[in-house]
Every structure is written in structure tokens, then in C-alpha cells.
Amino acid sequence: MKTIKSILVLILFLTFSCQQEKKSQERNTDSKIELDKNNSETEPKSDNNSTSKKNSENVTFRNITELEKYKEFEKVSGEVLDRSDKALVYLQKGNIKVLILKKIIKNSSTRPNYSILDEVTFTSKNSENYIALTSCKLIKNSKKEIIFSLVEDEDVEYYKKILKSWVIDLEKEVFKEIKSEEVECYNVHFGYDG
């Protein structure tokens, strides 16, 4: 009888210990994890209106605006790219616009984590104008590039005021700036009254 009670107590203890360990792991998965804050600094590019960030997969997060660097930014939009494990996020704070290429990290939770692969920053001269992010295509030699541009929002079929354009290289996981004159950007909202 004492042996049976001892076995039952042991089983209950092990079950309770396993449950506590599982809950602890879930709490760690659900919270923001910042493994290396030092990698959140940016390196300037040649254009003084943009900056780039390379290979900072050491920072893992759920919501990008929880990171210290982006706490005061507003998330404007985001989308998964070309059926991949990469996504694009558009943030802004005043006249500072930031595009972030991030990797989707699937885990045991229903909500994935992310890590930053690359970023570019654009500072607009006029903070009064609404600047939209839109997908575009090359005017000549169009292939299946993933091209995004920041444009001044206007009620035209094709945007005329294209401020900056980038090709997203999913293999190298970077933004590559291209000349805005080489792209055309269709306004998907043109003619919509709703």
C-alpha cells in the first residue's frame, strides 16, 4: 500500500513539474525576446535620406513597435511576400518612413515571432503629404521582381510622384534601391468611391 501511494505521489509530482515547465516555455514564447539590442543600430547608406540594417536575426520579436527603436512609430501596413517566410512592414513617425524586411519564425504558439533582415529609412521633406507604400513593376524588362515604392498619395491611375523605389531580393534578404524613373506604380484605389 505504501508503495502504491509513493508511486501516485511521484506521478503527480512529475505531472505537475512537466505542466509548470510547459507553462514557463509558453510564457517565454508569448513575450517579446530581445537577444541583442546592440544590433538595432543602423548603418548609413550613401543616400542621406535612407539607411540600411543588415543581418540582425539576433533580435526576435512579436510586435515590431515593442522594440525600443520603434516604440514611437506607427505601423501603417504589412504583408507577407510572394508565398515566402518573409514579410514587409511599413512604419512611420512624422516625416520618417521605415520599410522593414522581416523573417517569419514559426513556433509552437499560434502567433509567430519575427526577426529583422534588412531595413531602409526615408525622410520626407514635407510631413503634410500622405506617403503611401505601393507595389510597382519595371517599365522595361519586367521580370518577377518584388518592387515597392513610397509615393505621394494622389487620385490618379498611375502615381506620378514616386519618391523612392526598392527591389526586394528574397534570396539575399535585402532591399536594393532602384531609380524611381524605371518603375510604374498602379493606384489600386483609383476610382474607388467607398
Side-chain angles (χ1 to χ4, degrees):
M1 189 69 167
K2 285 185 178 182
T3 307
I4 294 175
K5 284 183 181 180
S6 297
I7 292 173
L8 285 174
V9 168
L10 182 61
I11 290 173
L12 288 173
F13 176 74
L14 289 174
T15 303
F16 180 73
S17 296
C18 290
Q19 288 295 328
Q20 288 298 94
E21 178 66 26
K22 184 177 178 183
K23 285 181 183 177
S24 173
Q25 287 175 348
E26 285 174 359
R27 263 186 254 121
N28 287 341
T29 301
D30 286 340
S31 64
K32 172 187 65 160
I33 304 166
E34 290 185 59
L35 298 175
D36 187 0
K37 286 187 178 182
N38 294 333
N39 283 341
S40 67
E41 299 298 319
T42 58
E43 303 167 10
K45 274 188 175 179
S46 59
D47 179 359
N48 60 1
N49 281 338
S50 63
T51 57
S52 177
K53 181 170 190 267
K54 305 283 185 199
N55 295 327
S56 63
E57 289 190 49
N58 296 357
V59 179
T60 305
F61 57 91
R62 272 281 163 78
N63 183 347
I64 196 154
T65 56
E66 291 177 350
L67 295 176
E68 189 64 35
K69 182 176 180 181
Y70 301 112
K71 275 192 186 283
E72 297 177 9
F73 281 79
E74 169 194 357
K75 182 177 175 184
V76 180
S77 65
E79 65 181 89
V80 175
L81 299 173
D82 199 29
R83 294 184 218 123
S84 70
D85 64 344
K86 314 290 186 308
L88 177 67
V89 176
Y90 175 33
L91 304 174
Q92 72 177 3
K93 178 176 80 170
N95 61 343
I96 301 171
K97 318 301 180 189
V98 181
L99 298 183
I100 299 171
L101 179 62
K102 62 184 185 177
K103 182 175 184 170
I104 302 167
I105 303 169
K106 296 185 179 175
N107 52 39
S108 61
S109 172
T110 56
R111 295 172 40 209
N113 288 333
Y114 303 94
S115 66
I116 296 173
L117 300 172
D118 197 17
E119 72 179 47
V120 287
T121 302
F122 175 76
T123 304
S124 65
K125 294 175 182 160
N126 185 354
S127 61
E128 301 289 318
N129 295 342
Y130 178 74
I131 296 178
L133 176 68
T134 186
S135 61
C136 303
K137 66 178 185 174
L138 288 174
I139 296 171
K140 296 179 182 177
N141 302 325
S142 183
K143 298 175 187 167
K144 294 204 176 201
E145 296 97 348
I146 300 173
I147 300 172
F148 282 91
S149 297
L150 291 175
V151 299
E152 281 190 24
D153 197 22
E154 48 190 340
D155 192 25
V156 294
E157 188 172 5
Y158 287 91
Y159 290 107
K160 293 180 175 102
K161 298 176 183 173
I162 302 171
L163 305 171
K164 283 282 187 184
S165 299
W166 296 272
V167 171
I168 299 175
D169 186 330
L170 292 181
E171 285 183 25
K172 294 182 181 175
E173 301 176 333
V174 294
F175 289 99
K176 293 180 181 176
E177 187 174 341
I178 59 174
K179 293 180 182 176
S180 294
E181 299 81 32
E182 297 176 357
V183 301
E184 68 178 2
C185 305
Y186 178 72
N187 182 352
V188 295
H189 301 292
F190 178 69
Y192 180 71
D193 294 332

